[in-house]
Amino acid sequence: MNKLLIVGTVAFDAIETPFGKTDKIVGGAATYIGLSASFFDLQSAIVSVVGDDFPQEHLDLLTSRNIDISGIEIVKGGKTFFWSGLYHNDLNSRDTLVTELNVLADFQPKVPQNFKDAEVVMLGNLHPLVQSSVLDQMETTPKLVVLDTMNFWMDCALPELLDVIKRVDVITINDEEARQLSGEYSLVKAAAKIQELGPKYVVIKKGEHGALLFHKSEVFFAPALPLEEVFDPTGAGDTFAGGFSGYIAQSENISFENMKNGIIYGSNLASFCVEKFGTERMVGLEAKEVNQRLKQFKALTQFDIEL
Ligand code: AMP
């Protein structure tokens, strides 16, 4: 069975959307990536850090999804990473209200020995130096390294981010962040500039407007499923990344053609994530629902014009 190594935050989030507000709930990039990737046939592990204020039941949940959590350090007396966000009415844009790094500030990641040969490495959102350190610890060259990041790290650790971006095959990033990173408004030009920074494949996530996959002059588009109700987009980008990297790890095929399926799987899983607050929908999600919705995705994009 193939191995997927995941790094990213395991966090407390406080979220406000037009539909309601939460107190501190479990979140974090690695949490969403792990839950999403758990729908594939693979071995996965998370490298992250929490404080001892983080409830054991949330770690148990990850274990119950067959995720190896031996790489999640628990810092005695430490406080878990905390993020708070406020969504605007269109739910496609948000303001970060608070980012407290807490135990993440001094985190030295340790990759579990049996994942130093993972075929796929998913560098989820967190400090780029932590992402680099995980790559440094790999004992065999991964078949595919995927990186996700956000504006926060562009603002406060750009040189380190550019260093790690050089080392990855695929970057997943949202549209505004692609513009910020490249200095280009056109997403086509932005994707071309980002490819010059290192990654051969660039995935630009556009929230409810789907996702674009760029590679040289090729481009593929996956829609987001039009949903009657979207409650909370938090974690959709990470869930997408987990679906993409999980599918690629399971299928052992890193061609552009197969990556198209990967972004469909990513979009499919993300469409569930947004239906409830936080991780709630992903926790209750069943494999048969994922398969049913894939059929909807196919129907949404299939047409038979003869050319
Ligand atoms: P997404 O909605 O996919 O962009 O991801 C939201 C998740 O990212 C939340 O659960 C947060 O805990 C986490 N997050 C927010 N800001 C950061 C950051 N600067 N670094 C790492 N993770 C973050």
Side-chain angles (χ1 to χ4, degrees), residues 265-304:
Y265 267 100
S267 301
N268 185 31
L269 284 154
S271 77
F272 289 102
C273 175
V274 302
E275 288 181 334
K276 289 191 177 166
F277 268 108
T279 54
E280 197 183 337
R281 185 67 175 104
M282 294 310 289
V283 170
L285 186 62
E286 289 181 20
K288 64 172 188 288
E289 296 178 276
V290 178
N291 290 335
Q292 269 162 9
R293 199 166 273 188
L294 270 180
K295 291 186 188 137
Q296 282 176 262
F297 262 93
K298 223 173 166 178
L300 183 67
T301 48
Q302 232 169 17
F303 53 89
D304 57 6

Side-chain angles (χ1 to χ4, degrees), residues 96-160:
T96 289
L97 303 178
V98 182
T99 303
E100 284 176 13
L101 295 181
N102 298 330
V103 288
L104 189 64
D106 306 309
F107 178 45
Q108 307 283 337
K110 280 182 205 68
V111 177
Q113 187 56 40
N114 59 336
F115 276 83
K116 288 185 177 172
D117 60 354
E119 286 82 4
V120 177
V121 178
M122 178 67 234
L123 300 174
N125 192 14
L126 84 185
H127 199 299
L129 286 180
V130 175
Q131 295 175 319
S132 280
S133 166
V134 164
L135 290 184
D136 293 341
Q137 293 173 53
M138 298 306 288
E139 286 177 356
T140 55
T141 308
K143 290 198 178 119
L144 196 76
V145 179
V146 185
L147 176 139
D148 188 67
T149 189
M150 72 186 279
N151 51 358
F152 181 87
W153 302 111
M154 291 175 202
D155 295 337
C156 73
L158 186 60
E160 296 89 337

